[in-house]
Amino acid sequence: MMNYLLTFGLMITLLSAQAQAPQVLYPGEIPNYIAGPNVESSATTGGILRISNVSNPVYTLYLAPETGNAKNPMVIIFPGGGYRILAASHEGSDIARKLNEIGVHAMVVHYRLPDSTRQVEKQYAPLQDAQQAIRVARQQANAWNVDSTKIGVMGFSAGGHLAASAATHYSIDYTKIHDGQNLRPDFQLLIYPVVSFRAYSHQGSISSLLGKNKTEEMLHLFSNEEQVNVNTPRAFLVHASDDGAVPVANSLNYAAALANNKVLVDLHIMAKGGHGFGLVNKTSEEYWFDRLATWFKTL
């Protein structure tokens, strides 16, 4: 009988942590939007789900099992992909389910990929979607049993750039909805992130987001280490020192900017691992997610 109860309890836990159906990110008109056919496509190669041509943003909710009357933190996840595709599984849904295991709600956002044929100003579309995701999370905090003081953003590679952008540009409502909602995330989790648009950045991400609009003003605006101030939310960063795609200088300089502004920052540099390893860096016995699980206890 006891084994049956344990098995039944495990099944209930697993079921309660399953993803809900994708939802439109904007209940009304999408800002900065040019109407056109939906040509979004997906393909799985090497075990990684890659989604292309996202022009209609959605989010998928992953709610952790309820634990009494306590409200849970929430992480809004932005997969990477150089602002060209979304690596939607190992930098999205897989992470969400892992967060659920430690009692953290998750929301995976399939944000718009920059496209001048589908957005009036393509450089702002991902940030608009990130801000809208934060808005939705705060609006639904009670319904989703979310601790509204612990809503953070998480991003991988170019998704890390988007998360860092949300964490440093919250004072301006780029969606232009202007409803007074607090758009500042309470924390930021950046995994091998693109942070800067300077010489040590990922040139593919810069080209995809800005195109020919690589003015000094735009490069400064999206070099997030240059946007840090004393009110920037605390951060947790992971990077491999041998990352050949997104140099570790992105995380090092961002951490330095945060520390110089007396913002709490945890920086974990792994000796090897390259880029895009997701949850498991196969070159190391260290499991960075364990450190993150411990970090959550400090919120």
Side-chain angles (χ1 to χ4, degrees), residues 36 143 218 247 273:
M218 284 291 104

Side-chain angles (χ1 to χ4, degrees), residues 108-188:
V108 178
V109 181
H110 289 181
Y111 52 91
R112 283 175 289 172
L113 296 170
D115 181 350
S116 58
T117 71
R118 300 306 305 272
Q119 297 119 31
V120 179
E121 296 177 297
K122 71 173 187 174
Q123 67 267 31
Y124 297 121
L127 181 54
Q128 289 171 325
D129 295 351
Q131 290 192 330
Q132 177 64 6
I134 295 169
R135 172 180 282 110
V136 170
R138 294 207 184 280
Q139 289 173 338
Q140 299 298 325
N142 285 335
W144 294 345
N145 197 41
V146 169
D147 184 338
S148 61
T149 68
K150 297 178 181 178
I151 296 175
V153 290
M154 183 178 199
F156 297 74
S157 192
H161 181 266
L162 181 53
S165 297
T168 54
H169 292 80
Y170 57 83
S171 62
I172 298 175
D173 184 353
Y174 284 89
T175 68
K176 299 182 181 179
I177 293 175
H178 299 306
D179 59 356
Q181 186 59 254
N182 174 19
L183 299 178
R184 178 186 180 274
D186 297 304
F187 56 87
Q188 50 182 320

